[in-house]
Amino acid sequence: TPNNNVINAMNVAGEEDNSRRKRRGFCVGAGRTDAGVHALGQVIHFDLSRTQRKTNDPLEAISGDSVKNAVNYYLRQNQNADIQVVSASKVSSDFHARYSARMRHYVYRVELTEDPSLFESHRSWHVPEQLDFEQMQLAADVLEGEH
């Protein structure tokens, strides 16, 4: 999943940095998505600290932009060009990507055309048949609300 690819990139980058600069990191994702599902606005947190190699003294924190650029570089180098970190920032120590989430928003895209679009093939479900929108709305009403 996109989430797991970014987490793997962050953890591997942390391990590689750890061997060179004594950085330690661990990455946690907000939640899992099903295979083939796109995750827009996926949130992860990355606990990261740096220490001086010889003295083990703490070093200045790495900027969010540096983390974003490093992970995006790693993803591009490993053929994960369909995944991109849009922003990164420092958060409070009690923030947790999964447990601090206040809401989730889901969008389901159905392409109702005879021929599937090349550009939408990975972002929507192609259905060439006519659908009963009234019945679909009745079914969707059952799902609406907080769960």
Side-chain angles (χ1 to χ4, degrees):
T1 64
N3 184 33
N4 288 338
N5 287 338
V6 172
I7 289 173
N8 289 342
M10 294 288 282
N11 286 331
V12 169
E15 290 168 13
E16 289 172 357
D17 282 343
N18 186 33
S19 66
R20 290 194 303 265
R21 296 188 191 96
K22 297 273 184 179
R23 293 182 189 171
R24 300 210 187 315
F26 180 70
C27 190
V28 176
R32 302 180 77 128
T33 58
D34 295 331
V37 174
H38 283 59
L40 299 173
Q42 185 72 28
V43 175
I44 62 173
H45 80 256
F46 187 64
D47 299 327
L48 181 67
S49 62
R50 300 188 316 158
T51 57
Q52 179 62 262
R53 183 180 288 215
K54 292 181 181 177
T55 65
N56 213 28
D57 291 333
L59 293 172
E60 180 182 335
I62 300 171
S63 74
D65 281 342
S66 293
V67 171
K68 177 185 81 165
N69 294 337
V71 174
N72 283 335
Y73 176 82
Y74 177 86
L75 290 168
R76 282 191 305 273
Q77 296 304 309
N78 290 281
Q79 287 78 40
N80 286 309
D82 59 339
I83 302 168
Q84 179 182 13
V85 176
V86 176
S87 68
S89 60
K90 185 175 181 177
V91 295
S92 67
S93 62
D94 64 342
F95 176 82
H96 192 283
R98 182 173 179 195
Y99 302 119
S100 299
R102 292 190 204 119
M103 64 178 273
R104 288 176 173 79
H105 181 80
Y106 298 93
V107 175
Y108 299 92
R109 296 177 63 169
V110 180
E111 184 184 4
L112 301 172
T113 60
E114 188 174 324
D115 297 313
S117 166
L118 173 67
F119 301 107
E120 293 296 322
S121 63
H122 297 292
R123 294 179 181 85
S124 65
W125 178 35
H126 176 250
V127 179
E129 300 90 20
Q130 290 290 328
L131 298 176
D132 186 337
F133 291 107
E134 236 177 76
Q135 288 297 316
M136 290 174 68
Q137 186 59 56
L138 288 172
D141 288 344
V142 175
L143 300 174
E144 193 173 326
E146 293 185 28
H147 302 277

